[in-house]
Amino acid sequence: MSLIRLEPRGQASKTMVYATPLLAVALTLLSGFVLFLAMGFDPVKALHAFFIAPLTSVRGLGELVVKATPLVLCAVGLAIGFRANVWNIGAEGQLTLGAITGGGLALAFYGEGGWWLLPLMVIGGAVGGAVWAAVPAFLRLRFNASEILTSLMLNYVALLLLNYLVHGPYRDPDGFAFPESRLFEADAVLPILWAGTRVHLGALFALLAVAGGWLLIARTFIGFQIKVIGLTPAAAGYAGFDQKRIVWLALLLSGALAGIAGMGEVAGPIGQVTAGISPGYGYTAIIVAFLGRLHPVGILLAALLMALSFIGGEAAQIAMGLPKAITGVFQGMLLFFLLASDVLIRYRVRFGARRAVA
């Protein structure tokens, strides 16, 4: 007889919907404590270096915002698709295409720029990401191919395309054959919003994406259709909702936002096109979307937490000599505990053997 069992709830627990992310964070910290102890590091000092030290300086706070910006842009778009059961796993590739197209415009008009160049780069980045996302949308609707697989595989194609460009057409002719473009001129660089940091105009784009995502989901008929299609596809079909249109909308919108994020990286903290545009923002954005419960405001908070894992990992490497992979380990543990904790939304834990029914 089992002493611990899961008992189905009559309905999903709204309390646990918002409590499980906090539980997942707590379990991740506890597991990190044990992990650092097993690795021979002082766990208190390691966790302090990872999660506290980066927040004690203006530069650290600025880097938190810089790292959170692409995560918010990607995750808001992904969340809209996830709500409609459109599983876009290709934000990394769409971000890369946005960097390629937006950065390509900066290079094409090098020395000829003006006030119009940055808006053009934003549009170019959005179009590049949306076009890349249109491929899995077409394949799903035309051939019923899984967008999970097609969008994921396109990530690698985008990376190969980027590597080709920085070793070829985009390469700086005066850069001693290094795989990177020339530095963008001033008209192609996003302005700094916070003096003394690298916080740039892209942070405002992220806040606009949060506001726009909330308005779309909560205050529009299209948002209502997205929720109905995600929860009860049969009812959506009976009501006459166009599910194909929602698939196109979800993928094109998420691709465009990821493309803007990529453009923001090359026109912001990097200032050129390189082979290392993203440390995995597109993949991490998936965790951010679920940790934020697919709600734009929750995504903003989750993005700040995940951004802290990036800068905290770098700080811990410098301060204590921790391995580079520790950032990925923490992000993976957080996703694992989040998915595991989600079972509590529909089940409650009971202790003791089940009573026999007479």
Side-chain angles (χ1 to χ4, degrees):
M1 300 293 290
S2 175
L3 298 180
I4 301 177
R5 68 181 190 279
L6 294 176
E7 179 181 282
R9 298 179 186 270
Q11 60 183 6
S13 170
K14 292 183 178 180
T15 300
M16 294 309 297
V17 166
Y18 299 102
T20 50
L22 299 177
L23 177 61
V25 171
L27 290 173
T28 300
L29 293 175
L30 180 60
S31 298
F33 186 96
V34 175
L35 175 64
F36 288 135
L37 197 62
M39 294 172 64
F41 293 98
D42 184 331
V44 175
K45 289 183 178 179
L47 289 174
H48 182 274
F50 208 99
F51 293 106
I52 305 299
L55 304 179
T56 58
S57 67
V58 171
R59 181 184 179 279
L61 293 173
E63 287 302 301
L64 184 71
V65 176
V66 169
K67 298 290 187 184
T69 294
L71 293 176
V72 171
L73 286 166
C74 292
V76 168
L78 292 178
I80 292 172
F82 293 165
R83 282 177 174 266
N85 288 330
V86 178
W87 304 103
N88 178 14
I89 312 298
E92 185 75 6
Q94 293 144 24
L95 181 151
T96 301
L97 258 291
I100 289 173
T101 53
L105 289 169
L107 298 174
F109 292 102
Y110 188 84
E112 303 174 6
W115 64 266
W116 47 268
L117 183 54
L118 267 177
L120 183 63
M121 290 171 62
V122 173
I123 295 171
V127 171
V131 168
W132 209 245
V135 177
F138 172 77
L139 293 175
R140 169 173 167 169
L141 297 176
R142 182 67 178 83
F143 301 105
N144 198 31
S146 169
E147 71 275 16
I148 296 175
L149 297 178
T150 54
S151 62
L152 176 62
M153 289 187 290
L154 283 172
N155 290 341
Y156 302 101
V157 178
L159 183 59
L160 290 172
L161 176 60
L162 175 63
N163 280 323
Y164 161 73
L165 290 172
V166 297
H167 283 88
Y170 280 17
R171 188 170 63 188
D172 184 359
D174 301 319
F176 302 101
F178 285 104
E180 58 189 24
S181 74
R182 65 177 70 195
L183 292 171
F184 295 170
E185 60 181 340
D187 288 332
V189 176
L190 292 170
I192 297 297
L193 299 182
W194 186 358
T197 71
R198 298 196 301 165
V199 177
H200 54 79
L201 188 61
L204 181 59
F205 295 162
L207 292 178
L208 290 175
V210 169
W214 178 81
L215 286 173
L216 176 66
I217 294 297
R219 292 291 185 268
T220 68
F221 183 60
I222 292 178
F224 175 72
Q225 292 182 60
I226 289 172
K227 288 185 283 189
V228 172
I229 289 173
L231 294 172
T232 52
Y238 182 78
F241 294 166
D242 189 345
Q243 298 190 36
K244 291 184 177 180
R245 184 177 70 168
I246 296 301
V247 170
W248 277 110
L249 172 68
L251 279 165
L252 292 181
L253 180 59
S254 60
L257 288 173
I260 292 173
M263 186 285 306
E265 286 301 291
V266 296
I270 301 176
Q272 61 183 155
V273 181
T274 71
I277 292 171
S278 167
Y281 290 135
Y283 297 112
T284 305
I286 299 171
I287 304 176
V288 170
F290 283 109
L291 187 62
R293 287 301 179 222
L294 306 184
H295 190 287
V297 177
I299 285 170
L300 177 61
L301 299 176
L304 291 171
L305 176 62
M306 297 307 291
L308 181 59
S309 74
F310 278 114
I311 63 174
E314 295 171 358
Q317 291 174 48
I318 296 171
M320 302 188 64
L322 291 173
K324 183 179 180 181
I326 199 68
T327 299
V329 170
F330 264 94
Q331 293 178 355
M333 287 194 300
L334 182 58
L335 179 61
F336 171 79
F337 286 124
L338 179 65
L339 296 177
S341 300
D342 277 354
V343 74
L344 299 176
I345 297 174
R346 298 189 178 277
Y347 295 87
R348 58 169 59 90
V349 178
R350 293 299 190 191
F351 298 93
R354 185 188 300 274
R355 293 182 180 180
V357 179

